[in-house]
Amino acid sequence: GAGVSQSPSNKVTEKGKDVELRCDPISGHTALYWYRQSLGQGLEFLIYFQGNSAPDKSGLPSDRFSAERTGGSVSTLTIQRTQQEDSAVYLCASRSSGGETQYFGPGTRLLVL
Amino acid sequence: GENVEQHPSTLSVQEGDSAVIKCTYSDSASNYFPWYKQELGKRPQLIIDIRSNVGEKKDQRIAVTLNKTAKHFSLHITETQPEDSAVYFCAAGPTSGTYKYIFGTGTRLKVLA
């Protein structure tokens, strides 16, 4: 079946611009996570959605970062006034209710010039 | 806060030798410990996982061991092959009162032919 998809696969933007990254989770998965992976680094937790519950935003690095999940499915991660240090791969993962395994999307590679 | 330490950060082995990667976690509430393999430019993919009620799990050339008392878990790859070359991440979770999983910083494994 279809896995987690993300778009765009690559995004180049200028410092100060806003960007939106999209994640389509596996159909029926109620949990959705966003992570940031800087070059050669591990996976940094950003935000977590579970069904209709309030999201866990504890990993967002600044108020320039926000995310929403509409209709319990697609999620959008928005970075406002991008900075060069925001350059990274942004990974999305989804998990079924009651399951433990997170399934990752291919990521969006963001480059801020 | 919650933390997962992973060692070594890089590991080179000769083809056919074994590779061992170790992780230590801090949150005693964690009860699920997955390992992901990430090839260059690809998404992380689950290769094996273990739950806290089990001490060891094996799948062909891959095995994982868990010591809950010491909060240690390890990945063992036997008879390594060049296609095992990748970055491996461990994770522990969920953390107390949340559905967050904390990832290690990754181990870059190189299998030399």
Side-chain angles (χ1 to χ4, degrees):
Chain A
V4 179
S5 61
Q6 292 185 244
S7 62
S9 54
N10 291 281
K11 177 71 177 179
V12 180
T13 190
E14 293 179 348
K15 177 181 173 180
K17 296 284 181 67
D18 298 351
V19 295
E20 285 190 353
L21 312 180
R22 176 187 168 107
C23 172
D24 281 88
I26 293 173
S27 178
H29 278 195
T30 57
L32 188 149
Y33 300 77
W34 282 98
Y35 296 91
R36 179 168 69 177
Q37 186 175 30
S38 301
L39 188 63
Q41 300 299 309
L43 301 174
E44 176 190 4
F45 167 80
L46 296 177
I47 189 169
Y48 160 76
F49 296 89
Q50 172 64 56
N52 295 321
S53 301
D56 180 339
K57 305 178 181 180
S58 60
L60 294 178
S62 77
D63 58 8
R64 296 187 296 105
F65 288 72
S66 63
E68 62 177 22
R69 189 177 185 193
T70 53
S73 180
V74 171
S75 177
T76 302
L77 177 70
T78 301
I79 309 173
Q80 295 179 308
R81 305 181 302 282
T82 52
Q83 303 294 313
Q84 289 182 330
E85 59 262 31
D86 298 335
S87 297
V89 175
Y90 289 82
L91 289 162
C92 170
S94 72
R95 175 177 61 79
S96 65
S97 175
E100 292 162 316
T101 302
Q102 294 183 38
Y103 296 89
F104 283 86
T108 292
R109 188 175 300 276
L110 174 66
L111 178 61
V112 182
L113 301 177
Chain B
E2 310 91 356
N3 186 44
V4 173
E5 292 187 1
Q6 182 171 346
H7 300 283
S9 56
T10 61
L11 178 60
S12 293
V13 299
Q14 289 294 132
E15 182 177 0
D17 287 351
S18 295
V20 180
I21 303 170
K22 299 182 179 181
C23 287
T24 303
Y25 62 99
S26 61
D27 191 333
S28 56
S30 296
N31 58 19
Y32 176 65
F33 308 91
W35 285 89
Y36 286 83
K37 175 183 180 182
Q38 186 178 29
E39 297 179 38
L40 190 62
K42 301 287 183 63
R43 73 187 74 193
Q45 299 224 328
L46 180 76
I47 55 171
I48 196 167
D49 56 15
I50 192 167
R51 292 168 178 80
S52 58
N53 58 347
V54 176
E56 183 174 359
K57 182 177 178 181
K58 190 172 182 180
D59 182 3
Q60 299 183 351
R61 298 186 296 109
I62 295 173
V64 57
T65 58
L66 171 65
N67 182 331
K68 277 221 77 176
T69 302
K71 297 182 193 171
H72 290 168
F73 58 113
S74 299
L75 177 71
H76 304 253
I77 306 174
T78 58
E79 300 172 22
T80 53
Q81 301 168 1
E83 52 265 38
D84 294 330
S85 296
V87 178
Y88 291 81
F89 292 98
C90 63
T95 56
S96 301
T98 77
Y99 290 95
K100 283 165 54 177
Y101 292 77
I102 306 300
F103 283 79
T105 50
T107 295
R108 183 173 299 278
L109 173 65
K110 295 182 183 178
V111 180
L112 307 172

